[in-house]
Amino acid sequence: VTTNSFSRTLSTTDNNDPQLQQQQAEATTTNNSDHQQQQQQAETSNVTHELGGCGSSSESDLVHELSIEVSYEDTYDTLIFLGVSFIFGEIAYHCGIPPLVGQIIAGFLLGPPLANYVPFPEAMVLLGDLGLILLLVEAGVELDVALVKEAGIRPLLIAFTGSVIPFAIGLGITLAQGDQSVKSAIAAGACFSPTSLGVAANALSGGKALNTPVGQLIVASAVIDDMIGLIILSMLEVLILDNPPLVSYFIPIISAIGWLVLLGVAALTVVPHIVEKVILPRFRPESRPYVAFALLWLLVLAYLPMMYYTKASYLTGAFLAGLSFSQVEGVHHTFVSEAGPVMEWLLRIFFSASIGFQVPIKMFGNKSVIAWGFAFYVAVLGKLPIGLLAPKYDNNTRPKNYPFNPYTRDVIITSVAMTCRGEFNFIIAAFGIGNTLLDPELYSSIIWAVLLACITSPIILTLVLRHYNRSAERYLEKQQLDSSIVG
């Protein structure tokens, strides 16, 4: 205001007077200096105010970061979900059904498909997937290398045949609907290729057959089967691209097979030698199992990203890391004692959340969905003939009066176990609908068939194992009784 008034005053005077011009220049300079000083003071005041505000905001943000809380309701609802999952699993077990069936039922009843009662469903699925990783690590650690070598190429033949037949049946059934594309048919067929190692291993473990020769054959076949399914899943990622280069289809295959051969050989030769001969001798004997256990987890953390970023499945890395320590003394016992209880709960969450949450229960009221679901179940049954590829382990050494033929038992167990469906089938189906390869009705039909297999196959396998175990127990009791009478 001062500068403007002074300027207006000067404008009324004689502009040709040098003295006045000099005074005008000096006054303007003085007022500009005063104005700049006032502006600097205002800016300083504003900066100070802003800094104070920022300081307050930073302090508030820090308090917020240090006090991460969840509500009482979310905590209580989570406890209810875990409790119901546990109770349903126990009820299923005492009814002669695998616990995972009850856990899946608890998942789709309380989860997003129906009641939507469970808070943070993504976090539950994350915890369940951690359980799946632990399960594959355990499968690698427990793999009996000697028994697999004895089986020879049979696990590969069982896995390959067991992947191709269901894939072809699923693809044909989808095309038979008449309104589905070839890409959708490929995605649908891929949903039925993998055998669920988790479902089969749980049933085999409950029937005390996991560590038998046929149990290890099934584990090895299921692992290879899952790898084939994961390779197919990687190839499906290429299908959603527009005009991908031809080489894109082969990268997942080359990567998965390459890592499997390279790290598989290292797991059976190089890694056990380095761990047992070079690293563990540097520690006290009582500490060696825990050192080996720590090295196992370091290898898991190294293999997972290695597989993922080279377009292979990171789950393959979990299995190969476990396989690397399958011949190291004390690792299996340490794994069971340290990670076993945690894995048990994570697997409950896996079956109830990772699987149960993906069951579109509301779509099952559609008769067309159910009809095509039963049709797709034929793709599941397509694995039954591959049990004939089971080897004859001890058929020649059985006593003459033994109650059953061990080879027949192994054929039946292998056939039924390879029809088990679960985690990878749901993962592939979820990928298909998430990337518009599957429409909702086709997805629901596939889930119905997979869920039916997920429930019926382990039940049938449990009953078969129970029958043969009881027959063997009665035979041994009779033999002991006869020996005591003779004695």
Side-chain angles (χ1 to χ4, degrees):
V1 174
T2 303
T3 303
N4 291 336
S5 301
F6 191 75
S7 298
R8 287 195 297 270
T9 304
L10 289 178
S11 63
T12 60
T13 62
D14 188 1
N15 292 333
N16 294 325
D17 191 341
Q19 186 176 0
L20 289 176
Q21 290 180 358
Q22 183 177 0
Q23 291 176 356
Q24 178 182 1
E26 291 176 355
T28 303
T29 302
T30 302
N31 283 281
N32 287 339
S33 177
D34 293 341
H35 178 70
Q36 291 177 357
Q37 185 176 2
Q38 292 174 0
Q39 185 176 3
Q40 290 177 354
Q41 290 176 353
E43 290 177 354
T44 303
S45 177
N46 290 335
V47 169
T48 304
H49 177 72
E50 291 175 0
L51 286 176
C54 289
S56 177
S57 176
S58 299
E59 184 178 355
S60 177
D61 292 341
L62 180 61
V63 171
H64 178 70
E65 291 175 359
L66 294 177
S67 60
I68 300 176
E69 297 179 355
V70 295
S71 67
Y72 160 77
E73 289 80 7
D74 289 341
T75 303
Y76 186 77
D77 292 345
T78 302
L79 289 175
I80 291 293
F81 170 66
L82 295 177
V84 171
S85 178
F86 174 80
I87 292 172
F88 275 37
E90 291 299 307
I91 291 174
Y93 174 77
H94 286 93
C95 292
I97 303 173
L100 62 93
V101 176
Q103 293 157 8
I104 292 174
I105 294 174
F108 69 70
L109 287 180
L110 295 180
L114 197 59
N116 199 21
Y117 177 81
V118 183
F120 311 115
E122 295 86 356
M124 290 296 172
V125 173
L126 172 62
L127 291 174
D129 290 347
L130 292 178
L132 178 60
I133 291 175
L134 288 177
L135 180 65
L136 287 171
V137 172
E138 183 188 40
V141 171
E142 289 187 341
L143 189 67
D144 193 321
V145 177
L147 289 177
V148 174
K149 289 180 179 178
E150 183 181 347
I153 199 173
R154 290 182 187 269
L156 182 60
L157 291 175
I158 291 174
F160 182 76
T161 307
S163 295
V164 171
I165 295 177
F167 176 82
I169 295 175
L171 185 145
I173 293 173
T174 306
L175 292 177
Q177 296 185 15
D179 58 348
Q180 299 292 341
S181 66
V182 175
K183 288 185 177 182
S184 296
I186 293 174
C191 293
F192 297 98
S193 289
T195 292
S196 173
L197 175 61
V199 175
N202 271 274
L204 290 170
S205 178
K208 301 178 181 179
L210 185 61
N211 293 318
T212 63
V214 69
Q216 292 298 300
L217 172 72
I218 293 169
V219 168
S221 302
V223 168
I224 299 174
D225 203 6
D226 288 344
M227 291 178 184
I228 295 174
L230 291 169
I231 292 173
I232 295 174
L233 176 61
S234 300
M235 294 179 66
L236 290 180
E237 295 179 0
V238 183
L239 287 179
I240 63 177
L241 302 176
D242 294 330
N243 300 320
L246 183 61
V247 68
S248 300
Y249 291 95
F250 295 96
I251 290 177
I253 301 175
I254 296 172
S255 177
I257 295 177
W259 285 124
L260 184 62
V261 173
L262 180 63
L263 298 182
V265 172
L268 300 178
T269 56
V270 179
V271 176
H273 176 78
I274 293 176
V275 172
E276 289 192 314
K277 303 298 182 181
V278 179
I279 299 178
L280 293 185
R282 300 174 181 271
F283 298 88
R284 295 177 298 177
E286 61 272 17
S287 301
R288 291 174 185 174
Y290 298 97
V291 174
F293 184 70
L295 293 173
L296 167 61
W297 286 113
L298 289 176
L299 202 61
V300 170
L301 296 177
Y303 279 4
L304 293 187
M306 188 188 303
M307 299 291 161
Y308 178 78
Y309 290 110
T310 55
K311 304 301 182 182
S313 169
Y314 67 90
L315 297 174
T316 305
F319 172 77
L320 289 173
L323 181 63
S324 301
F325 286 81
S326 61
Q327 302 177 80
V328 178
E329 184 179 359
V331 172
H332 178 261
H333 174 76
T334 307
F335 183 91
V336 172
S337 62
E338 297 295 328
V342 176
M343 184 180 71
E344 185 177 354
W345 268 104
L346 289 178
L347 285 177
R348 286 192 183 101
I349 298 174
F350 170 75
F351 288 113
S352 59
S354 298
I355 293 182
F357 287 0
Q358 298 188 60
V359 178
I361 190 69
K362 294 181 180 179
M363 291 290 293
F364 292 161
N366 188 328
K367 294 181 180 179
S368 176
V369 167
I370 300 301
W372 283 111
F374 280 114
F376 277 121
Y377 189 70
V378 177
V380 175
L381 300 178
K383 288 206 175 193
L384 288 175
I386 64 176
L388 297 172
L389 296 174
K392 296 182 179 180
Y393 288 107
D394 52 1
N395 193 43
N396 296 326
T397 60
R398 68 185 177 97
K400 293 182 179 180
N401 58 343
Y402 202 67
F404 57 83
N405 187 330
Y407 174 68
T408 303
R409 174 202 61 192
D410 292 348
V411 168
I412 296 174
I413 291 175
T414 303
S415 297
V416 178
M418 295 303 290
T419 65
C420 290
R421 295 295 186 272
E423 59 274 11
F424 294 117
N425 310 95
F426 286 99
I427 290 171
I428 294 175
F431 176 85
I433 191 172
N435 291 277
T436 67
L437 292 173
L438 304 174
D439 61 50
E441 287 195 6
L442 179 58
Y443 169 77
S444 300
S445 298
I446 292 170
I447 293 299
W448 173 265
V450 172
L451 182 62
L452 191 62
C454 191
I455 293 174
T456 58
S457 294
I459 291 175
I460 296 172
L461 181 57
T462 299
L463 294 176
V464 169
L465 291 170
R466 185 178 299 170
H467 166 72
Y468 283 113
N469 288 340
R470 287 177 177 175
S471 297
E473 289 171 359
R474 285 195 296 265
Y475 172 77
L476 292 175
E477 290 174 358
K478 186 174 184 262
Q479 290 295 108
Q480 292 175 355
L481 181 62
D482 292 344
S483 299
S484 62
I485 293 174
V486 173

